[in-house]
Amino acid sequence: MTSNLLQDDVGSMLGAVFESTTEPVYVVNPSRQSVAELVSTLDADADAPAVRLLADERALKDVMDDFLVASTAADLIDEDRLEMRLLDTVPNHSVAVTPDAVYALVTINDAVGGLGTDDGDFVDTAYDYYESTWADADEYSLRTPPLNRVRSTLEADIGQETADDFDDVLSSLSTARGDGDGLDEVTISLLVAARNGELLYDISKWGEDVGLASKATFSRTKTKLEDMNLIDTEKVPIDVGRPRLRLMLGDERLKEAEPDELATVAQSMLAA
């Protein structure tokens, strides 16, 4: 029996598993929280092996509704460090499988255990089974763009100050869902654009080009924020066609807030 792993959180436990191998690791049917911690652990450990994540589609979609998790996962996919595929039949267990060991993932109160075995026949059977399951599984289509691409294109297309503010707002959030639990990526983009006096046309074109959301979604969100006095607009004449709209922050509390305070102030206003 290989050593059992006992850690304070799933991320630390998975990190201990990753230290034991350089070969791809199958992570099968983790909890929603475990998926988020897996992404965070891989992002923090450049030396971790590639992970092949097999999970239920509904669970993955729920987790990937958080822009912070999804955009980081997209970075890892771009770097060939993470792949995600769908389970046709969801097992009752959650496991991490390496070529040398199988760990059952168990959470009890605040402790997380990886109950492991290195029995050769059992490990070989498990690894072969999930290798075969992986080959037959459908890929999970993650439509969120990689965070590195979002950042670099925002800086190139809109400006350094807006890109820096975007990073500061993201860093202040623990989640970015836009359903009352953090601000979504479109709202964040519009707020930092307004803080820097950018044009709605420019930020919405950038957002559509990078794959963040459609121009229509940016426009609808702008209207909602404007109705709630979070942002304001002014018309900017152009040589040909209708005037463009310049975005501005609409409330003194937002104008006085530092970038890392912007999300907290905006969330309090949206919840009022």
Side-chain angles (χ1 to χ4, degrees), residues 3-270:
S3 298
N4 294 322
L5 304 175
L6 183 63
Q7 300 290 338
D8 294 331
D9 57 74
V10 174
S12 297
M13 198 280 296
L14 289 172
V17 172
F18 298 157
E19 288 178 359
S20 68
T21 185
T22 59
E23 297 298 317
V25 176
Y26 291 97
V27 178
V28 183
N29 192 35
S31 68
R32 287 161 171 77
Q33 181 61 33
S34 296
V35 174
E37 292 195 36
L38 166 64
V39 170
S40 178
T41 300
L42 281 176
D43 183 51
D45 185 359
D47 296 325
V51 168
R52 295 171 177 171
L53 174 60
L54 281 162
D56 173 61
E57 184 172 16
R58 181 70 258 173
L60 279 179
K61 188 178 186 307
D62 286 348
V63 177
M64 297 303 156
D65 277 347
D66 183 346
F67 174 73
L68 293 175
V69 177
S71 60
T72 302
D75 274 339
L76 295 168
I77 291 169
D78 254 13
E79 296 164 4
D80 296 323
R81 300 180 56 212
L82 173 67
E83 293 181 80
M84 297 187 288
R85 295 189 184 180
L86 304 176
L87 287 166
D88 279 337
T89 302
V90 181
N92 294 324
H93 57 266
S94 299
V95 294
V97 183
T98 79
D100 302 308
V102 175
Y103 295 93
L105 311 182
V106 180
T107 301
I108 300 176
N109 294 327
D110 294 329
V112 179
L115 309 181
T117 178
D118 59 3
D119 178 85
D121 289 341
F122 182 81
V123 172
D124 289 346
T125 298
Y127 201 84
D128 289 346
Y129 174 79
Y130 285 115
E131 195 169 46
S132 175
T133 301
W134 179 263
D136 294 335
D138 291 332
E139 183 179 353
Y140 177 73
S141 178
L142 180 61
R143 298 182 179 181
T144 305
L147 185 55
N148 285 334
R149 188 188 308 160
V150 172
R151 286 170 166 158
S152 63
T153 56
L154 184 58
E155 179 181 339
D157 296 351
I158 304 299
Q160 180 70 56
E161 291 184 354
T162 301
D164 288 345
D165 287 350
F166 185 86
D167 279 344
D168 287 340
V169 172
L170 285 186
S171 297
S172 72
L173 293 170
S174 59
T175 185
R177 290 182 175 272
D179 57 0
D181 191 9
L183 304 177
D184 67 30
E185 55 269 34
V186 175
T187 300
I188 294 168
S189 300
L190 288 168
L191 286 172
V192 298
R195 189 174 192 273
N196 290 279
E198 304 293 348
L199 298 180
L200 174 63
Y201 175 86
D202 291 341
I203 195 70
S204 60
K205 183 179 185 304
W206 161 78
E208 187 168 75
D209 289 347
V210 78
L212 214 58
S214 68
K215 289 181 182 178
T217 299
F218 271 84
S219 180
R220 286 194 299 270
T221 306
K222 183 274 299 181
T223 299
K224 173 188 172 183
L225 297 176
E226 194 171 19
D227 289 345
M228 299 184 72
N229 199 37
L230 273 72
I231 63 173
D232 199 357
T233 58
E234 65 176 10
K235 292 182 178 179
V236 179
I238 58 176
D239 292 337
V240 179
R242 293 187 300 172
R244 299 277 166 82
L245 294 177
R246 185 176 304 283
L247 300 170
M248 302 172 293
L249 293 175
D251 188 282
E252 287 300 319
R253 289 170 289 178
L254 290 170
K255 294 175 184 178
E256 294 170 0
E258 295 297 324
D260 59 355
E261 302 169 334
L262 199 63
T264 301
V265 175
Q267 284 178 270
S268 68
M269 294 176 65
L270 288 168

